Every structure is written in structure tokens, then in C-alpha cells.
Amino acid sequence: MYKIKVYVTLKQGVLDPQGKAVEKALHTMDYDQVQDVRVGKYMELIMEKSENVGSKVEEMCQRLLANPVIEDYRYEMEEVVGQ
Amino acid sequence: MKFAVVVFPGSNCDVDMFHAIQDELGEEAVFVPHSEYDLSSFDAILLPGGFSYGDYLRSGAIARFAPIMKAVQEAADEGKPVLGVCNGFQILLESGLLPGAMKQNRDVKFMCRNVKLRVENNKTMFTNQYESGESIVIPIAHGDGNYECDDTTWEEMIKNNQIVFRYDGHNPNGSKDDIAGIMNKRGNVLGMMPHPERAVDSLLGSKDGIRLFQSILILWRENHVVTS
């Protein structure tokens, strides 16, 4: 089995309203060092072992998990022991 | 004229849409569930607002894979009028029937109020009963109405007069170029965040929305004149 960790964030250059709100809050808390905040999504997928897992994950990100018009994604794969 | 009102799990403006067509426009409206495959007997397709599939992942992202969406695509390909309002607009964006994407509102909150819109293009099957540049009042009710697209897409839309409505004066959600509603290049698919179906009776505060539905009907009648 594979455990896939998918991270989705708004593209650089696309204004992130939620990230901006969090950034402002951190500034009011006197964390002046904070330069930028981007809020994203984290998903975990458990997948059966097969040869083309990577290309399947890529496809799922493109078609559903992220919206490539405004979002970037990346993922990590690790092998786990199935139940 | 026969209108389909597509109902997804979580749609909540479907009844308003039905009322606008059946009672105010005086035409036939039929609820069609998301699990259907065929819309061939309808003259126009309406995707109502709401929170299809709880807005999980992204607004409209899951609804676009519902069985009915293949039929919506076919209707669009045939040139039938397809109107998506609010969540319906988001579904049209996610499905690629309209360009761009929707982000969370600039102020990160849900907004429900009347707004002023400017009719930017009145030479469409949806807006021919409005004056060009006319200011109208239609309510919004959304959390994700912050329209976004890349500059190439935006320039292309301007060139083809695809921007149909802009927010007039105050931009409530931060959307690019004050965009409130856009159509496809062919001109038969319109998506808009404001709710024309909620502005069809002066008791509701405005009846500026009814002319959008009248526009669809009048053009359809002109194209379907019985010539025998």
C-alpha cells in the first residue's frame, strides 16, 4: 500500500484572502517577522500498490484534488504496510 | 418554452428558480435530479445556487462529475441557453464550460445583500431586454465569489464581449475587474454570482431579474416562429 500526502495551495501571484487575514492577525499579535502566509489544504490518500501510482496521483490532482487554474499542488508518496 | 432546473444534493435556490420560471415568467419548469443523463427534451438549462455536495473540496468541484453534467455539456454544445447562478456558476467554471475559477471572498466572509450591477453587454440571449450600461439591482448570497483568471483569458473575454455583468460602484468580493457574470465565446452559456431568480417581484425588493428570463424567452420565440 501507498500513503500519498497531497498539499494544495493557491498559486504564487494569486491573492489568498484567508492567508492575508491570518497574516494580519499574526501582525496584530506582534509577530512582525511574518512576511507572507498561504493557507492550503492537506489530503491523505491510501492507495493499492501498482506500477503507475505516480501518474494516477498526478491525474487525480489535475482533475479533482486541485484546480490548476488557481492552485498549485505537490505530493509525497510513502510505502506503508496494509491491513 | 421548457426549462430544466437541475437539482444537486445541496442545491437550495432550485425552488426560487422554479418559481421565477413557472409563476413569474409563465413558462414550464421541471426539476431534474443530478443523477439523470438526458436533457434533450428541454429548451434551456438552469443550474441553481446552493451548496452542492456541501462545497467540499471547492465550490462546484464535485458536482461537475455528476451524471447530469454530460447532458449539460451536450445542451451547451447544441447552442441551447445554459444559465448558472451562484453555485451554478461555480459548477460551470469547474467543468470548464466557462473560463477561470472562483476564490473565497476578499473579506473572507459570506455576503448576502442587494448589489448594483452594470449590464456591460446587452446583445446576448440573456440580456437583450436590458439597456446597454443599465444599472440594475440584484441580490448576492455567496462566500466564494471572488472571480479569478489569468490575463490572457481576461483579455480574450474583453475582446469577445464575454463580460456580461460588472459590479457597479462597490465590488463586494474582490473579483477581478469587478466581474459579476461572464458568458462563453459562443454566447449561450452564462454564469453569474448574483441571483436574478430572487429579483422577480417588487415584493422581494427588486424585479430587475425577470428581464433576464424574458430575454431568453423572447429570443427563443423569435427563433421558433411557426411559419406554416
Side-chain angles (χ1 to χ4, degrees):
Chain A
M1 306 283 266
Y2 282 109
K3 184 177 193 174
I4 324 284
K5 298 174 174 176
V6 183
Y7 303 87
V8 179
T9 46
L10 283 171
K11 278 183 178 167
Q12 288 300 330
V14 172
L15 184 76
D16 175 0
Q18 214 180 148
K20 280 286 163 230
V22 175
E23 185 186 319
K24 270 189 201 159
L26 289 170
H27 286 163
T28 31
M29 293 160 74
D30 290 331
Y31 293 108
D32 299 329
Q33 310 91 323
V34 177
Q35 297 279 312
D36 191 27
V37 179
R38 319 276 299 165
V39 175
K41 291 176 195 141
Y42 169 69
M43 289 167 253
E44 278 184 6
L45 278 63
I46 303 293
M47 287 180 70
E48 277 172 26
K49 206 168 171 178
S50 69
E51 274 179 22
N52 56 357
V53 173
S55 63
K56 285 287 170 203
V57 173
E58 187 69 36
E59 200 180 299
M60 289 189 288
C61 287
Q62 286 279 344
R63 294 183 64 203
L64 178 66
L65 304 182
N67 182 340
V69 178
I70 47 167
E71 292 173 328
D72 282 331
Y73 60 86
R74 66 185 176 84
Y75 53 85
E76 296 160 5
M77 290 169 41
E78 65 179 81
E79 221 174 316
V80 292
V81 183
Q83 298 293 315
Chain B
M1 191 175 179
K2 200 172 164 191
F3 290 78
V5 178
V6 179
V7 185
F8 297 95
S11 295
N12 65 10
C13 301
D14 43 344
V15 177
D16 289 351
M17 197 68 103
F18 186 93
H19 165 79
I21 300 302
Q22 194 102 322
D23 305 322
E24 301 297 332
L25 189 66
E27 295 294 312
E28 186 184 358
V30 179
F31 290 121
V32 182
H34 61 103
S35 50
E36 291 284 325
Y37 291 89
D38 189 8
L39 287 167
S40 56
S41 64
F42 294 94
D43 304 307
I45 317 300
L46 306 171
L47 304 183
F51 299 86
S52 59
Y53 301 89
D55 273 357
Y56 296 157
L57 200 59
R58 297 178 305 278
S59 311
I62 307 206
R64 85 162 265 202
F65 292 104
I68 196 72
M69 287 309 293
K70 275 207 177 110
V72 173
Q73 174 84 53
E74 282 165 17
D77 291 345
E78 285 166 27
K80 287 180 186 174
V82 176
L83 167 68
V85 169
C86 198
N87 189 225
F89 184 12
Q90 293 159 344
I91 296 169
L92 291 174
L93 292 172
E94 281 285 339
S95 64
L97 279 162
L98 290 174
M102 221 40 106
K103 293 188 307 179
Q104 204 174 19
N105 290 350
R106 176 190 51 216
D107 299 336
V108 205
K109 62 177 183 184
F110 188 90
M111 301 180 130
C112 184
R113 63 183 67 150
N114 275 335
V115 296
K116 275 205 282 185
L117 299 181
R118 198 167 55 244
V119 181
E120 299 289 4
N121 181 356
N122 72 336
K123 294 182 175 52
T124 79
M125 62 168 79
F126 304 97
T127 53
N128 54 66
Q129 296 304 302
Y130 296 101
E131 300 294 324
S132 177
E134 186 179 344
S135 183
I136 58 175
V137 174
I138 309 265
I140 55 164
H142 61 249
D144 300 337
N146 189 345
Y147 179 80
E148 178 77 40
C149 65
D150 61 48
D151 286 341
T152 319
T153 309
W154 175 64
E155 282 159 18
E156 176 98 340
M157 285 201 295
I158 289 181
K159 203 179 78 190
N160 300 320
N161 286 319
Q162 286 172 254
I163 300 171
V164 179
F165 297 110
R166 280 198 179 91
Y167 296 109
D168 190 6
H170 179 66
N171 178 338
N173 52 30
S175 76
K176 184 170 184 141
D177 194 24
D178 300 335
I179 285 173
I182 56 168
M183 61 179 187
N184 63 347
K185 210 168 168 180
R186 185 172 175 180
N188 68 312
V189 179
L190 172 72
M192 61 192 294
M193 287 315 291
H195 289 266
E197 80 284 3
R198 292 193 193 177
V200 293
D201 189 318
S202 30
L203 274 176
L204 299 170
S206 165
K207 53 190 300 184
D208 286 345
I210 189 67
R211 277 183 285 158
L212 190 144
F213 301 104
Q214 286 167 344
S215 297
I216 301 174
L217 178 62
I218 286 167
L219 205 72
W220 183 83
R221 278 194 182 142
E222 279 175 15
N223 292 332
H224 292 80
V225 181
V226 181
T227 49
S228 60

Short mmCIF file of all heavy atoms in Angstrom, two decimals, chain B residues 40-62:
data_model
loop_
_atom_site.label_atom_id
_atom_site.label_comp_id
_atom_site.label_asym_id
_atom_site.label_seq_id
_atom_site.Cartn_x
_atom_site.Cartn_y
_atom_site.Cartn_z
N SER B 40 -32.38 16.28 -23.36
CA SER B 40 -32.68 16.60 -24.77
C SER B 40 -34.07 17.18 -24.97
O SER B 40 -34.32 17.87 -25.96
CB SER B 40 -32.47 15.37 -25.65
OG SER B 40 -33.27 14.31 -25.17
N SER B 41 -35.00 16.94 -24.03
CA SER B 41 -36.36 17.45 -24.24
C SER B 41 -36.52 18.89 -23.74
O SER B 41 -37.61 19.46 -23.81
CB SER B 41 -37.37 16.55 -23.53
OG SER B 41 -37.14 16.58 -22.14
N PHE B 42 -35.45 19.50 -23.25
CA PHE B 42 -35.55 20.86 -22.70
C PHE B 42 -34.99 21.91 -23.66
O PHE B 42 -34.09 21.63 -24.45
CB PHE B 42 -34.82 20.94 -21.36
CG PHE B 42 -35.47 20.12 -20.28
CD1 PHE B 42 -35.06 18.82 -20.04
CD2 PHE B 42 -36.53 20.64 -19.55
CE1 PHE B 42 -35.67 18.05 -19.06
CE2 PHE B 42 -37.16 19.87 -18.58
CZ PHE B 42 -36.73 18.58 -18.33
N ASP B 43 -35.54 23.12 -23.55
CA ASP B 43 -35.09 24.22 -24.41
C ASP B 43 -34.02 25.07 -23.75
O ASP B 43 -33.28 25.80 -24.41
CB ASP B 43 -36.28 25.12 -24.77
CG ASP B 43 -37.40 24.33 -25.42
OD1 ASP B 43 -37.11 23.61 -26.41
OD2 ASP B 43 -38.54 24.39 -24.93
N ALA B 44 -33.97 25.02 -22.41
CA ALA B 44 -32.96 25.80 -21.68
C ALA B 44 -32.64 25.08 -20.38
O ALA B 44 -33.50 24.39 -19.82
CB ALA B 44 -33.48 27.21 -21.39
N ILE B 45 -31.39 25.24 -19.92
CA ILE B 45 -30.94 24.54 -18.72
C ILE B 45 -30.54 25.57 -17.66
O ILE B 45 -29.77 26.50 -17.94
CB ILE B 45 -29.69 23.66 -19.03
CG1 ILE B 45 -29.84 22.91 -20.35
CG2 ILE B 45 -29.39 22.72 -17.85
CD1 ILE B 45 -31.01 21.97 -20.44
N LEU B 46 -31.06 25.40 -16.45
CA LEU B 46 -30.74 26.33 -15.36
C LEU B 46 -30.02 25.56 -14.24
O LEU B 46 -30.54 24.55 -13.75
CB LEU B 46 -32.03 26.95 -14.81
CG LEU B 46 -32.94 27.62 -15.85
CD1 LEU B 46 -34.27 28.01 -15.22
CD2 LEU B 46 -32.26 28.85 -16.45
N LEU B 47 -28.84 26.03 -13.86
CA LEU B 47 -28.12 25.45 -12.72
C LEU B 47 -28.27 26.43 -11.55
O LEU B 47 -27.72 27.52 -11.59
CB LEU B 47 -26.63 25.25 -13.04
CG LEU B 47 -26.28 24.40 -14.26
CD1 LEU B 47 -24.75 24.24 -14.38
CD2 LEU B 47 -26.92 23.03 -14.19
N PRO B 48 -29.04 26.04 -10.52
CA PRO B 48 -29.37 26.98 -9.45
C PRO B 48 -28.25 27.10 -8.42
O PRO B 48 -27.29 26.32 -8.43
CB PRO B 48 -30.61 26.36 -8.82
CG PRO B 48 -30.44 24.90 -9.02
CD PRO B 48 -29.69 24.73 -10.32
N GLY B 49 -28.42 28.05 -7.50
CA GLY B 49 -27.46 28.26 -6.43
C GLY B 49 -27.64 27.28 -5.29
O GLY B 49 -28.56 26.47 -5.28
N GLY B 50 -26.74 27.38 -4.34
CA GLY B 50 -26.79 26.49 -3.18
C GLY B 50 -25.39 26.06 -2.79
O GLY B 50 -24.42 26.76 -3.06
N PHE B 51 -25.33 24.89 -2.19
CA PHE B 51 -24.04 24.36 -1.73
C PHE B 51 -23.95 22.90 -2.14
O PHE B 51 -24.02 22.00 -1.30
CB PHE B 51 -23.91 24.51 -0.21
CG PHE B 51 -23.97 25.95 0.22
CD1 PHE B 51 -25.18 26.58 0.46
CD2 PHE B 51 -22.80 26.68 0.36
CE1 PHE B 51 -25.24 27.92 0.82
CE2 PHE B 51 -22.85 28.02 0.73
CZ PHE B 51 -24.07 28.64 0.96
N SER B 52 -23.85 22.66 -3.45
CA SER B 52 -23.84 21.28 -3.92
C SER B 52 -22.71 20.52 -3.24
O SER B 52 -21.59 21.02 -3.14
CB SER B 52 -23.68 21.24 -5.44
OG SER B 52 -22.50 21.87 -5.84
N TYR B 53 -23.02 19.32 -2.77
CA TYR B 53 -22.05 18.46 -2.08
C TYR B 53 -21.33 19.22 -0.96
O TYR B 53 -20.14 19.03 -0.73
CB TYR B 53 -21.05 17.86 -3.08
CG TYR B 53 -21.74 17.05 -4.14
CD1 TYR B 53 -22.17 17.64 -5.33
CD2 TYR B 53 -22.03 15.70 -3.94
CE1 TYR B 53 -22.86 16.91 -6.29
CE2 TYR B 53 -22.71 14.96 -4.90
CZ TYR B 53 -23.12 15.58 -6.08
OH TYR B 53 -23.80 14.86 -7.02
N GLY B 54 -22.08 20.11 -0.29
CA GLY B 54 -21.53 20.82 0.87
C GLY B 54 -20.36 21.72 0.56
O GLY B 54 -19.64 22.13 1.47
N ASP B 55 -20.14 22.05 -0.75
CA ASP B 55 -18.96 22.84 -1.13
C ASP B 55 -17.66 22.13 -0.76
O ASP B 55 -16.61 22.77 -0.65
CB ASP B 55 -18.96 24.24 -0.49
CG ASP B 55 -19.73 25.26 -1.33
OD1 ASP B 55 -20.20 24.91 -2.42
OD2 ASP B 55 -19.85 26.41 -0.88
N TYR B 56 -17.71 20.81 -0.56
CA TYR B 56 -16.49 20.09 -0.18
C TYR B 56 -15.42 20.25 -1.25
O TYR B 56 -15.71 20.31 -2.44
CB TYR B 56 -16.79 18.59 0.03
CG TYR B 56 -17.73 18.31 1.17
CD1 TYR B 56 -18.47 17.14 1.22
CD2 TYR B 56 -17.89 19.23 2.21
CE1 TYR B 56 -19.34 16.88 2.26
CE2 TYR B 56 -18.76 18.98 3.26
CZ TYR B 56 -19.48 17.80 3.29
OH TYR B 56 -20.34 17.55 4.31
N LEU B 57 -14.19 20.30 -0.83
CA LEU B 57 -13.01 20.46 -1.67
C LEU B 57 -12.96 21.87 -2.26
O LEU B 57 -12.13 22.67 -1.86
CB LEU B 57 -12.96 19.39 -2.76
CG LEU B 57 -11.61 19.15 -3.40
CD1 LEU B 57 -10.56 18.73 -2.37
CD2 LEU B 57 -11.71 18.08 -4.49
N ARG B 58 -13.82 22.18 -3.21
CA ARG B 58 -14.00 23.54 -3.74
C ARG B 58 -15.45 23.63 -4.20
O ARG B 58 -16.03 22.62 -4.59
CB ARG B 58 -13.10 23.81 -4.97
CG ARG B 58 -11.61 23.77 -4.73
CD ARG B 58 -10.86 24.02 -6.04
NE ARG B 58 -11.28 23.08 -7.09
CZ ARG B 58 -10.80 21.85 -7.22
NH1 ARG B 58 -9.89 21.39 -6.40
NH2 ARG B 58 -11.24 21.06 -8.18
N SER B 59 -16.01 24.85 -4.18
CA SER B 59 -17.40 25.01 -4.64
C SER B 59 -17.55 24.48 -6.07
O SER B 59 -16.83 24.92 -6.96
CB SER B 59 -17.80 26.49 -4.63
OG SER B 59 -17.45 27.06 -3.41
N GLY B 60 -18.44 23.54 -6.25
CA GLY B 60 -18.73 23.05 -7.60
C GLY B 60 -17.82 21.92 -8.07
O GLY B 60 -18.08 21.30 -9.10
N ALA B 61 -16.75 21.63 -7.31
CA ALA B 61 -15.75 20.66 -7.78
C ALA B 61 -16.30 19.25 -7.89
O ALA B 61 -15.90 18.49 -8.77
CB ALA B 61 -14.54 20.67 -6.85
N ILE B 62 -17.21 18.88 -7.01
CA ILE B 62 -17.73 17.52 -7.02
C ILE B 62 -18.95 17.41 -7.95
O ILE B 62 -19.11 16.45 -8.68
CB ILE B 62 -18.06 17.05 -5.58
CG1 ILE B 62 -16.79 17.27 -4.74
CG2 ILE B 62 -18.57 15.61 -5.55
CD1 ILE B 62 -16.57 16.45 -3.55
#
